[in-house]
Amino acid sequence: HVAIPFNNYITGSCAFTHKAGVHSKAVMQNPAAYEVLDPADFGVERRIELAHRLTGWNAMKQRCQDLGVEISDDQLKVATVMIKDLSDERTIGLEELDKILISLCSKSEPETAFITWGGGSESSNDAHEHRAEFYRRKTLSAIESLDNPEEDDSPFATYCFSGHLFDKAILNRILDLAVDSPVSFKVLKLDVPNDNSKESRAIIKVIGEINDIEMLRQKYENLLLTLTGVADTEMEEIDRSES
């Protein structure tokens, strides 16, 4: 058995994977826009990544069509923003995303809630805000209904990062490494002082196979090593379970 690197050309898991919103929309409309090779010629499949900070609402709409559910574009745009925000706090699996979308589809929309009188621009703006708030409440309800993915006996490790986490986009890079790894993760705590001269602190829990957790830890150490003298950040493992 030979493990294929995720970034291997043609056969790697990321070779025909698309993430960013505009990028994904172009590929869905015309794959040749970004692919000079047809993945089917090599027995692999094209993948549109969902539920991360780069997700576009058109990719979400395509997923709704795959599931056979109908959600209005306005609702889907609001849901996409909230799902993207959530993805910065923890991993959202495809099954969880599907549950959110199906839940949104099943929640009826009271049309009379948005009737306005007078026809003025102010009334129109108020109606738009009421509708947007309704969509946010629906999405939040769907998200809160998800089961907690951490309530099991999977191995995990909890890391505390401290330093100037917003210099050189350190926190984003830390989260990107978790997103791109096979593990699941959750941001347990984020302390950001008002004074920029003071250090920030982030506590992140990663859940998965022991080898994957160890590999991610090594990537974190390598990242922080490259930042030595530029934007010093410390990492401490504060909890671990291998059961």
Side-chain angles (χ1 to χ4, degrees), residues 225-237:
L225 185 62
T226 63
L227 295 171
T228 302
V230 179
D232 290 339
T233 301
E234 294 183 355
M235 179 184 74
E236 178 186 2
E237 183 176 285

Side-chain angles (χ1 to χ4, degrees), residues 4-17:
I4 300 175
F6 74 92
N7 59 348
N8 198 54
Y9 59 91
I10 298 180
T11 55
S13 61
C14 292
F16 294 98
T17 297

Side-chain angles (χ1 to χ4, degrees), residues 16-213:
F16 294 98
T17 297
H18 309 279
K19 296 179 72 171
V22 174
H23 185 154
S24 297
K25 181 180 179 182
V27 169
M28 288 187 293
Q29 292 180 339
N30 177 18
Y34 280 93
E35 296 176 350
V36 296
L37 301 174
D38 185 347
D41 291 341
F42 303 93
V44 295
E45 296 182 350
R46 177 183 303 109
R47 291 195 307 140
I48 304 296
E49 286 284 343
L50 298 167
H52 56 81
R53 77 164 67 108
L54 298 179
T55 298
W57 77 273
N58 285 286
M60 292 289 198
K61 187 172 184 177
Q62 180 61 53
R63 185 59 186 171
C64 287
Q65 294 174 359
D66 294 342
L67 294 172
V69 300
E70 293 185 8
I71 302 175
S72 71
D73 288 353
D74 288 341
Q75 168 70 89
L76 205 53
K77 290 175 182 178
V78 171
T80 300
V81 172
M82 295 181 68
I83 290 170
K84 289 168 68 171
D85 290 343
L86 180 63
S87 72
D88 275 340
E89 299 178 10
R90 71 172 184 85
T91 305
I92 305 175
L94 185 60
E95 182 178 351
E96 290 183 308
L97 175 63
D98 290 348
K99 286 182 180 179
I100 293 174
L101 297 177
I102 292 171
S103 178
L104 292 177
C105 176
S106 65
K107 296 179 183 296
S108 60
E109 179 174 319
E111 297 179 3
T112 55
F114 307 109
I115 293 178
T116 59
W117 304 97
S121 60
E122 184 174 348
S123 297
S124 177
N125 289 337
D126 287 344
H128 177 76
E129 286 301 319
H130 287 315
R131 184 180 292 273
E133 179 59 26
F134 176 74
Y135 290 149
R136 284 191 286 269
R137 291 199 307 268
K138 283 178 63 179
T139 304
L140 181 60
S141 175
I143 290 174
E144 289 178 342
S145 69
L146 295 176
D147 295 330
N148 190 334
E150 297 176 14
E151 295 179 353
D152 56 32
D153 296 325
S154 299
F156 70 85
T158 305
Y159 301 107
C160 178
F161 297 89
S162 58
H164 297 286
L165 301 181
F166 295 93
D167 291 350
K168 303 298 181 181
I170 294 174
L171 183 58
N172 283 349
R173 294 162 76 175
I174 289 172
L175 294 177
D176 281 342
L177 287 175
V179 169
D180 291 335
S181 75
V183 305
S184 298
F185 77 96
K186 183 176 180 62
V187 179
L188 300 181
K189 190 172 184 180
L190 180 59
D191 293 327
V192 184
N194 292 327
D195 187 346
N196 289 334
S197 65
K198 296 182 179 180
E199 293 186 344
S200 301
R201 185 172 67 129
I203 299 178
I204 300 175
K205 182 176 184 178
V206 296
I207 309 101
E209 298 297 327
I210 295 175
N211 290 341
D212 293 331
I213 293 174

